[in-house]
Amino acid sequence: MLGAVLLLLALAKPTCPSPAGAESRRAEALKRLLEVFGMEDPPPPPAHVKQPPQYMVDLFNTVANADGVTKNPDILEGNTVRSFLDKTQSEEMRFLFVLSSVAKSEKVLTAELHLFRLWPRVTGGPKRHHLCQVSVYQVLERSEAAAPGGRRLLAARLVPLQGSGWEVFAITQAVLDWTEDESSNQGLLVTVQGVGGSPLEPPPLQFASSRDHHESKKPMLVLFTDDGRRGASPAMAGFPDSQPPAPIVPAKRPGPRSTRSLDRLQPCQKHPLSVDFEEIGWSGWIISPRGYNAYHCKGSCPFPLGENMRPTNHATVQSIINALKLSEGVSSPCCVPDKLYSINLLYFDDDENVVLKQYDDMVAGSCGCH
C-alpha cells in the first residue's frame, strides 16, 4: 500500500509547466489515492463549521501520535470507529440514528449508546433516592413503543443521581438488526425508574437532548466495525517504543544529475517523505492529522551485505550471485521497507458523521536490502 501512495503522490503534485495530459493524470492519481483510503469520492467539507465529538478526538489521541501513526495497536476493536448524532431533536428520551453510511461489507463488532447525564433536578422534598434504574430499549413498533410488545430490552443498570457525566450502554444487537434491515430502525427508547422498577414522576435524572444542549453533550451512537481491509504486515501495525528508530537521512534539495549518481552510492537508508493533505486538497474533510511522514527507502545494496542493511537470506544469496556474475540478468538486491506501520485518520464522512479509520502499511518504519 505504501508503494502505491508514493507513486500516486508523485503524480498528484502539480507540475509547472505541465504537458497537455498532466491534469487528467493528476485526477487519475487522486482517484487511485482515494482507493488506497477505501473511498470512491472525497467527502464534501461540512456545510458549517463543526466540532468533532470530544470522545472521537480523545480516542484518536489515545490510538495515534500527532502524525496519525498508530502508537497503541491493541485499543481498537476492528479498524473503523463511526460516530452518529441523534436525529430526533426531541426532549423525550427517544433517539434515532441514521446508519446509511455503514457499508454492507463492514462487520459490526460493538455498538454503544453514549448519553450525557445532567445534574439532578432540585426538589423541595427530602432526597429519598440515591440511585435509579436506566433501561435502554430497541423500538420495534414506533406507535407502540410504550407497550411491552413494541420494544425489546437492550441494557439496564443502576445509575447514581448525584453528579454528571457520560453513561455508556451496549446496544450491539439493535445495530446488527438495523444494518441487516434498514427499515427496522425505529430508534431507541430510554426509561428512568426507581430501583425496584417503580415509576418516578418527574424523573429525577435527565440526559442531555439533541435540541436544547451543547454539541459536546448530544446523544451519540459509537460503532466499532471492521471493513476487512488488511495490509501485508499486520504484525507491524504499531510503532514499537522498545525498538530504536532506523537512521533517517535528511531531505536534500534536488541537485544536478551527478547527485543522483551519488545517491545510488549511498547505503540503503530511510528518507523523509511528507504527505500534506492540504496540498492534495483534502484538508476540508480530514480533521486529523493535517499530514504525516510516510518515509521512503533509497540507496544501494552493495556486496557484501552487512547486518546494518538488514538483508534477507534470499537477498544475501542474490547479492553473491550478482557479484560473482554466476548468472546473467540477476540484479543486486533492492532497498525497500522491511517494516511498515499503520496510520489513523479522523474525518467527516459524506453525512458529516465523524469517523476514525486505521490504514495498514502506510509508513516505512525501517529499510533493508531484499
Side-chain angles (χ1 to χ4, degrees):
M1 186 178 286
L2 176 62
V5 172
L6 306 189
L7 175 61
L8 296 170
L9 284 174
L11 292 172
K13 289 185 177 181
T15 57
C16 183
S18 59
E23 197 59 37
S24 61
R25 292 183 66 203
R26 172 179 166 80
E28 178 63 22
L30 289 176
K31 180 182 177 182
R32 294 288 305 278
L33 192 57
L34 279 167
E35 292 173 2
V36 170
F37 285 94
M39 304 176 188
E40 293 184 4
D41 297 296
H48 307 285
V49 177
K50 291 189 67 174
Q51 291 297 321
Q54 191 60 44
Y55 173 84
M56 297 297 287
V57 174
D58 292 342
L59 184 60
F60 174 87
N61 290 332
T62 302
V63 170
N65 64 18
D67 289 331
V69 179
T70 303
K71 64 182 181 182
N72 195 336
D74 299 324
I75 289 181
L76 290 189
E77 185 182 5
N79 59 10
T80 307
V81 185
R82 298 181 179 273
S83 62
F84 304 86
L85 296 181
D86 174 43
K87 299 296 185 183
T88 59
Q89 300 294 314
S90 170
E91 287 186 351
E92 298 179 3
M93 288 199 281
R94 295 279 295 268
F95 307 100
L96 181 67
F97 303 94
V98 179
L99 308 182
S100 56
S101 57
V102 181
K104 289 291 185 183
S105 58
E106 283 187 58
K107 181 181 179 182
V108 174
L109 302 173
T110 304
E112 300 174 343
L113 175 64
H114 290 225
L115 299 176
F116 189 83
R117 176 163 48 94
L118 302 171
W119 283 94
R121 290 172 171 168
V122 177
T123 58
K127 292 181 171 56
R128 296 162 48 197
H129 304 284
H130 300 283
L131 296 169
C132 63
Q133 179 175 298
V134 176
S135 303
V136 180
Y137 296 90
Q138 176 184 355
V139 177
L140 304 177
E141 294 289 342
R142 188 174 301 179
S143 60
E144 301 179 10
R151 62 190 187 185
R152 179 171 66 184
L153 181 65
L154 298 172
R157 72 163 182 270
L158 297 179
V159 174
L161 290 177
Q162 298 304 310
S164 67
W166 287 98
E167 298 290 340
V168 179
F169 301 90
I171 57 167
T172 307
Q173 187 55 55
V175 172
L176 286 171
D177 291 345
W178 299 340
T179 52
E180 185 70 25
D181 178 10
E182 192 173 336
S183 64
S184 69
N185 184 358
Q186 303 295 310
L188 300 169
L189 170 68
V190 175
T191 63
V192 177
Q193 297 173 306
V195 174
S198 58
L200 296 175
E201 291 295 340
L205 183 146
Q206 281 188 311
F207 294 105
S209 67
S210 296
R211 192 176 74 174
D212 297 329
H213 295 93
H214 189 267
E215 190 90 14
S216 63
K217 295 181 175 62
K218 289 186 175 181
M220 180 172 62
L221 188 155
V222 178
L223 184 58
F224 296 82
T225 70
D226 195 296
D227 62 7
R229 292 163 58 91
R230 282 290 177 269
S233 52
M236 303 173 187
F239 207 126
D241 295 328
S242 58
Q243 182 168 337
I248 301 171
V249 177
K252 298 178 182 178
R253 294 180 178 273
R257 189 184 305 177
S258 59
T259 305
R260 294 200 296 269
S261 301
L262 184 62
D263 284 341
R264 285 196 291 268
L265 297 176
Q266 297 294 323
C268 177
Q269 297 178 80
K270 188 169 78 168
H271 298 255
L273 175 64
S274 175
V275 179
D276 189 328
F277 292 130
E278 183 172 0
E279 184 178 337
I280 297 172
W282 291 1
S283 60
W285 54 275
I286 292 181
I287 301 166
S288 194
R290 308 313 294 176
Y292 72 101
N293 199 337
Y295 298 105
H296 70 114
C297 298
K298 184 171 63 173
S300 63
C301 294
F303 175 82
L305 296 177
E307 288 299 318
N308 62 314
M309 295 184 183
R310 308 163 68 91
T312 60
N313 289 337
H314 180 273
T316 301
V317 172
Q318 181 175 332
S319 175
I320 294 170
I321 299 297
N322 171 264
L324 298 179
K325 309 295 184 188
L326 297 179
S327 180
E328 291 185 11
V330 177
S331 61
S332 60
C334 296
C335 178
V336 295
D338 60 2
K339 282 195 176 179
L340 293 165
Y341 302 137
S342 61
I343 67 164
N344 302 265
L345 290 190
L346 188 69
Y347 64 91
F348 292 104
D349 68 10
D350 291 336
D351 298 324
E352 299 188 4
N353 299 311
V354 174
V355 180
L356 170 61
K357 189 176 275 284
Q358 193 170 91
Y359 300 90
D360 290 342
D361 298 351
M362 297 296 284
V363 174
S366 61
C367 302
C369 291
H370 289 206

